[in-house]
Amino acid sequence: MTGYEIFWPMVAHAVLVFILYALLGWRRRVLVKAGLIQPASFRENHAANEPAGSLVVRNSLANQFELPLLFHVCCILLYTTQADNLPSVILAWIFVVTRYAHAFVHVTSNNLSYRSPLFALGFVALVGMWVWLGIWLAFS
């Protein structure tokens, strides 16, 4: 390992955030052009006024700043404590892949029977990263 592998899942997650921002802008533009909402409705960012087509993207985007915050912090801590070995990098990739899948389901079918297990798997991977960090700190 070169020592920077833990950062690639972080970069991949940032790309997901950029994709969701682009999708949100595109969906909102389509809704405005179709006359389903006025551009001024987005000024205050109230969910009550937002059509479902863009609201699900907005909610998915908001999800990328909740649990993933702990992911990014953990990755940085793993790196700075030199605990970023193969198992932690694998767990980081599992977390990011589940975030992509979760976001895809969220902005398409929004089917909870798919979304919930994807979230749970990512959650478990992230908990595993923090457990590994704790073990590393305790015994090194």
Side-chain angles (χ1 to χ4, degrees):
M1 291 180 47
T2 63
Y4 299 113
E5 287 84 4
I6 198 70
F7 294 121
W8 287 112
M10 295 173 71
V11 170
H13 182 257
V15 169
L16 172 60
V17 171
F18 300 143
I19 289 169
L20 288 171
Y21 270 117
L23 179 61
L24 179 62
W26 178 76
R27 285 199 180 173
R28 283 179 169 178
R29 188 175 64 148
V30 167
L31 290 165
V32 168
K33 283 189 175 195
L36 298 174
I37 194 163
Q38 296 298 314
S41 298
F42 299 118
R43 185 181 346 242
E44 298 299 322
N45 211 17
H46 293 295
N49 298 335
E50 186 143 8
S54 61
L55 181 60
V56 293
V57 180
R58 191 177 109 190
N59 289 341
S60 185
L61 189 55
N63 285 341
Q64 303 312 316
F65 294 97
E66 295 169 355
L67 193 60
L69 174 66
L70 292 174
F71 166 73
H72 287 278
V73 169
C74 189
C75 287
I76 292 167
L77 291 172
L78 287 166
Y79 177 78
T80 59
T81 61
Q82 298 179 348
D84 57 333
N85 58 6
L86 187 59
S88 63
V89 171
I90 289 170
L91 288 170
W93 276 114
I94 290 170
F95 178 79
V96 170
V97 167
T98 61
R99 295 311 299 171
Y100 269 85
H102 182 270
F104 177 79
V105 171
H106 202 173
V107 302
T108 57
S109 70
N110 203 15
N111 187 331
L112 285 178
S113 63
Y114 295 119
R115 259 182 61 206
S116 293
L118 290 167
F119 178 86
L121 179 58
F123 179 82
V124 169
L126 183 58
V127 168
M129 290 172 65
W130 279 97
V131 167
W132 170 245
L133 177 63
I135 290 169
W136 182 269
L137 294 173
F139 295 105
S140 58

